[in-house]
């Protein structure tokens, strides 16, 4: 059974940090692009960060560049998102997703597997 389980969400104040983790089971992530998306209330789901198979190439949404860092551990089947300098605009449900190599890494359409999401709330 394929599962992507996010953890690490919570409530922080502006300027704080959180580290999200995504534990994957049911398949090995070695052959998958992995990414984080987020969805704020009343807004569309948007790309946050993505990483290619080897972990060498990483991509970020414009609003998180320089603040967020995505990483992956293929041996442990884990993906993480380190989030620093958080602002209230980062408040959203964060989703982990796996892409088997279809489409652009920033496009949701290529992602086959999704987690249930973890809530991140940043207060001012």
């Amino acid at each position: 059974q394929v599962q992507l389980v996010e953890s690490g969400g919570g409530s922080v104040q502006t300027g704080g940090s959180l580290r999200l983790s995504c534990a994957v089971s049911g398949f090995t992530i070695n052959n998958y692009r992995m990414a984080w998306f987020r969805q704020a209330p009343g807004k569309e789901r948007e790309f946050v960060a993505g990483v290619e198979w080897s972990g060498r190439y990483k991509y970020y949404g414009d609003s998180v560049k320089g603040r967020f860092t995505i990483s992956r551990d293929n041996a442990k089947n884990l993906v993480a998102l380190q989030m620093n300098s958080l602002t209230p605009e980062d408040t959203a449900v964060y989703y982990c997703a796996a892409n088997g190599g279809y489409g652009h890494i920033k496009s949701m359409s290529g992602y086959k597997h999704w987690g249930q999401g973890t809530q991140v709330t940043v207060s001012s």
Side-chain angles (χ1 to χ4, degrees):
Q1 182 181 0
V2 171
Q3 280 191 311
L4 288 75
V5 180
E6 301 96 338
S7 61
S11 297
V12 295
Q13 292 188 327
T14 296
S17 298
L18 285 173
R19 183 177 179 84
L20 305 183
S21 294
C22 175
V24 179
S25 59
F27 68 97
T28 57
I29 67 171
N30 300 50
N31 297 322
Y32 284 79
R33 298 165 168 169
M34 300 300 296
W36 291 91
F37 290 79
R38 68 185 182 186
Q39 188 166 18
K43 294 187 177 181
E44 294 186 351
R45 193 169 297 189
E46 66 172 353
F47 173 82
V48 175
V51 58
E52 295 282 9
W53 300 270
S54 68
R56 181 177 180 182
Y57 299 103
K58 301 179 181 181
Y59 305 82
Y60 296 94
D62 289 341
S63 62
V64 307
K65 282 180 182 176
R67 300 188 298 122
F68 290 13
T69 302
I70 189 171
S71 61
R72 64 188 294 159
D73 186 334
N74 289 345
K76 295 183 179 179
N77 243 28
L78 290 173
V79 183
L81 183 69
Q82 178 66 42
M83 306 187 296
N84 299 327
S85 302
L86 287 162
T87 74
E89 288 68 38
D90 295 314
T91 295
V93 177
Y94 284 71
Y95 298 90
C96 177
N99 179 325
Y102 304 99
H104 196 282
I105 195 170
K106 295 185 178 182
S107 173
M108 284 195 299
S109 62
Y111 287 83
K112 181 178 181 181
H113 302 303
W114 292 82
Q116 293 300 308
T118 185
Q119 176 70 46
V120 171
T121 303
V122 185
S123 58
S124 57

